[in-house]
Amino acid sequence: MHLTFTIQRFNPEVDSTAHPQEFRLDVGRGMTVLDALIRIKNECDGSLALRYSCRSAICGSCAMTINGSEKLACRTSLRKELERHGHITVAPLRNLPVIKDLVVDMASFWKKIHDVHPWLVSAVWPAQEGLPAPTKAEDQANPQFHNVDACIMCGACVAACTVHEVSKGFAGPAALAKADRFLSDPREAPSATRARLSALQDDNGIWDCTRCNFCVEVCPKDVKPMEAIIRLRRASLERGFTTTGGARHILGFTDLVEQQGRLNEAIMPLKVVGFAPRGMLRILPLGLTMLLKGKIPNPFGHALLGLSHFQAFMRRVRSARPPA
Ligand code: SF4
Ligand code: SF4
Ligand code: FES
């Protein structure tokens, strides 16, 4: 079968911007996008730059944008892409600087991984006298790493992240999932866990995620970074990190729903910014706009029917929750 591939090209030595280039190639059954790109490089244009190594979805180096979404080229079937989209377009990962053609600069990705201290800070290492040093997680009760260890550092989640698109400083899904890996490790010292969580409360940390779920959708290893971020948030709240806007939003939201059975948009902004004059001044324009558009309900409106049943249900949920 004769196929046309549209590949985004960019050579910093001659191009001011990226541009598409078409290649025609005879393809066989069972070929992957990476197979086709290697043949294009070998048979059509040796200057095409791409990165790959294992060709088996292990090394993570062939992640790129295929027909608009982040995928590993070595495990993306040409036939399936064609059936779904009717064409094959290939571009580098988004949100990372392009070095050449399909090769992106991963330096910022690695720095963010390094910044979350992706190593174990053990409470009992080296071994104290008279105590055997546990060296395996199985020595402890029920270790759960939630598949975060399966990450192959491909960068697809960062490329798909809607927050990273507008805020390059955001720690990002891969690094935050890595932080969660160590939070889940029963061998880590409690003081280290606290320090780890404390560092993630800052701007660009766990509260910046908008929970768009794109990192979960594109991850080729089912790491589910967004769920890792939610675990980090829950652990932060349980350990008393409650002063950030994000934490206050969650606590204010649940308080209001528990008290009134629904969200009250008139009170919610105050739950987030508090009664400090600076915060109130910041939300004043938004409040006025909402008022003018009739979006602010009466904060003292009537109680919902069945509210007491709902509150009893919430109390049962709270008491059934395992202790922090
Ligand atoms: S869920 Fe959060 S971390 Fe994941 S892509 Fe969306 S904003 Fe980024
Ligand atoms: S979390 Fe998934 S998408 Fe992100 S770097 Fe790891 S393997 Fe790739
Ligand atoms: S070449 Fe290693 S993951 Fe694709």
Side-chain angles (χ1 to χ4, degrees), residues 251-272:
L251 295 173
F253 193 105
T254 43
D255 269 2
L256 276 175
V257 172
E258 279 185 36
Q259 287 161 15
Q260 304 185 5
R262 62 182 166 196
L263 178 64
N264 188 325
E265 289 91 344
I267 300 176
M268 188 62 206
L270 295 173
K271 291 264 188 194
V272 177

Side-chain angles (χ1 to χ4, degrees), residues 34 51-63 72-75 152:
L34 182 61
R51 193 186 272 143
Y52 65 94
S53 179
C54 70
R55 302 176 73 168
S56 309
I58 295 169
C59 72
S61 59
C62 70
L72 295 180
C74 69
R75 74 162 212 181
I152 54 172

Side-chain angles (χ1 to χ4, degrees), residues 12-87:
E13 288 169 5
V14 292
D15 299 327
S16 53
T17 53
H19 58 91
Q21 185 176 3
E22 291 195 347
F23 294 94
R24 288 191 63 78
L25 193 72
D26 255 334
V27 296
R29 291 173 74 83
M31 274 177 71
T32 64
V33 172
L34 182 61
D35 294 333
L37 289 173
I38 293 171
R39 283 211 19 224
I40 289 171
K41 183 175 173 67
N42 292 343
E43 298 169 22
C44 309
D45 185 346
S47 72
L48 177 67
L50 69 153
R51 193 186 272 143
Y52 65 94
S53 179
C54 70
R55 302 176 73 168
S56 309
I58 295 169
C59 72
S61 59
C62 70
M64 52 187 77
T65 311
I66 299 170
N67 285 330
S69 59
E70 290 71 16
K71 294 184 177 128
L72 295 180
C74 69
R75 74 162 212 181
T76 303
S77 149
L78 270 184
R79 184 178 57 81
K80 285 190 183 154
E81 283 300 307
L82 209 58
E83 279 171 7
R84 192 168 305 152
H85 299 278
H87 57 88

